[in-house]
Amino acid sequence: MDEVIQVTQWLSSITPRKKAKLFFFTTHADAPSPMVGSNDVDTHEETQLPLATTVALHNFKNIDEFLKKKVNTFSCYNVIENEITKTDYEYLRFYSACKYLDVVPPFLDLEKISAIQNKFEMTDEERDYRLLLDSADLVLEKVCDSLKPAGVSQMWTALRKDRNLIRGVKTIDIIGFFVDPNPTGIKECLFFFIVRFLQKADKINRVNTNRLERLIAQCDESSSCEEGKTIDFIIDSLRFYPTELYPFGFCLIMCVIEGRDGAMQEIEKTMEISRHLGMITHTEKNPTRETIELVKKELMKPKYQFYSSFTCWFMSHGDSNSMVLADGETIEREWFLTSFPDISTFQLKPKVFFMVSCRGANKFSLKGDEFEGQSATCDYYDIGSALIRNRMLDITDSVRDISYVQPMMDTLVAYSTILDHLSGRANTHGSIYVDRACVLMSENISRGRSLTEILEHLSQDLHEILQETMDGDRIVYKQACHYDSFFRKTLKLPYTRHPKEDVHSAPQ
């Protein structure tokens, strides 16, 4: 059959709503870099004009033409063996979006997809199409699905009132002030236009969504939300780190085995819980400084742009400032923690570090300790939130910026013990902290718990356990763990377990 006829038949089989979503997923706002052609980003017209004309004319002709052009580009594309190009990235995104929406063209060359995955050095686990979907876009899709056409129309009206933001933007004028979003697929096109416009204007990204939340907050709940949804529910969904679908993220496990009883148990437990959570896992036994540098170099590869989070377990002996590596060399804990968050592939994504080592030799000994309860009272004033706001600074958009981000932002560091103190171990099972952390994370899957909630529960649980020294005088003591957070959103554990057999790989 003629290819033109095939493409036409394929497009005619896709509903308007799915066409809008396919266009949205295919025009992803943040293409990975570095890669060949990465500076050749989608232009303003390519990403917004088709949406604007579709909304204005209630006609999907321009979106159809865009999708035809993509298919023709991929059909003529020759996969170059060594270089990763912008087209490689777009091909994978297009395929994953089609797979997700169940609209894969029957004529799409799946062997090219496998060849591109080879260029990205993807493992069998990484060839799952869900890895290639952008989690932030999936969250925005759910927000759109939660809103009625009237709600998106109200968002559009609120956006149009911000004259400083829309001044001189031609696509805004194409749509006009009053919009009828009721025809099938038009609501989606208008919502996705608003999202891509705010992203291009550098007002929102995968972490900073305040500007979008403010538009949604101006909607009338009775007319704007789908059944069972509320404005608060929709806004709350934007306040979590986007980690939709499989995998939950990439997990790196580094464990020094030499001289550490139960170290293999630590590895088994952390591997089990990371896979239980739906993470793709890599383990380094007995790491050295060279190992760490090689791992950092590996994580700079383009394929890691597709992951939505990063977790690292580092288990070794240590003192207040440093950790002992397998060859006896020590590294500064601060150097380790500040070198990983700066890796560009995980920028604007949650990065969690579990640092499991002693940070000194002190013990919180129970023998002879006396505790005196202290209480404090204070006056309580019931002050309305409106009154409080009236007394606070008026922070305008002109003094807000989301372009420049401190490297440590979106990072959480969990320590197995507090500064200058021991981190307890069991002879056969290794770190007690690792054991309890894995148990609590496993128990809280499907309960909608956030990571910080679990860490707070872990702090309570661990501090109840009586431990004793394994050498010298018998001393009974307690251990206290804590974490430092630079998170800007909440990181929730996945609702669904991801056993290995549930993962369907793309064609090899």
Side-chain angles (χ1 to χ4, degrees), residues 320-335:
S320 58
N321 297 314
S322 59
M323 303 176 295
V324 183
L325 300 175
D327 56 6
E329 184 183 355
T330 61
I331 57 167
E332 294 295 312
R333 189 178 285 105
E334 190 68 19
W335 170 83

Side-chain angles (χ1 to χ4, degrees), residues 2-17:
D2 182 80
E3 185 174 316
V4 174
I5 297 176
Q6 285 184 312
V7 174
T8 302
Q9 290 180 345
W10 170 67
L11 284 170
S12 65
S13 69
I14 305 175
T15 65
R17 291 182 72 243

Side-chain angles (χ1 to χ4, degrees), residues 346-361:
F346 291 100
Q347 202 169 37
L348 300 180
K349 298 173 184 178
K351 295 164 284 287
V352 179
F353 294 84
F354 290 95
M355 309 304 292
V356 184
S357 68
C358 290
R359 300 178 70 194

Side-chain angles (χ1 to χ4, degrees), residues 139-152:
V139 171
L140 292 167
E141 179 208 16
K142 289 184 178 179
V143 170
C144 181
D145 290 344
S146 299
L147 291 166
K148 290 181 177 179
V152 179

Side-chain angles (χ1 to χ4, degrees), residues 189 381 495:
C189 288
Y381 296 95
Y495 282 94

Side-chain angles (χ1 to χ4, degrees), residues 193-294:
F193 175 87
I194 293 171
V195 167
R196 289 291 184 246
F197 170 75
L198 291 174
Q199 288 171 335
K200 293 294 181 182
D202 219 9
K203 296 300 180 183
I204 65 171
N205 56 33
R206 65 185 297 120
V207 172
N208 302 90
T209 53
N210 287 338
R211 193 66 184 85
L212 182 62
E213 292 171 25
R214 282 153 52 192
L215 289 179
I216 296 171
Q218 295 181 60
C219 295
D220 172 57
E221 186 163 281
S222 61
S223 62
S224 62
C225 299
E226 292 288 354
E227 186 177 353
K229 308 297 183 184
T230 65
I231 294 295
D232 286 343
F233 172 86
I234 295 170
I235 291 175
D236 283 348
S237 69
L238 290 167
R239 293 180 177 171
F240 300 108
Y241 281 108
T243 53
E244 302 291 306
L245 293 184
Y246 172 92
F248 183 62
F250 182 79
C251 181
L252 171 65
I253 299 170
M254 290 186 166
C255 183
V256 176
I257 298 173
E258 302 298 329
R260 297 182 66 250
D261 294 335
M264 291 304 298
Q265 283 282 325
E266 295 171 353
I267 293 174
E268 290 176 12
K269 291 172 185 176
T270 50
M271 285 183 65
E272 181 180 4
I273 190 59
S274 66
R275 289 171 177 167
H276 206 46
L277 290 170
M279 293 183 174
I280 291 177
T281 306
H282 176 75
T283 301
E284 290 287 348
K285 299 175 183 177
N286 287 325
T288 62
R289 184 180 290 270
E290 182 183 5
T291 306
I292 295 171
E293 292 295 345
L294 288 173

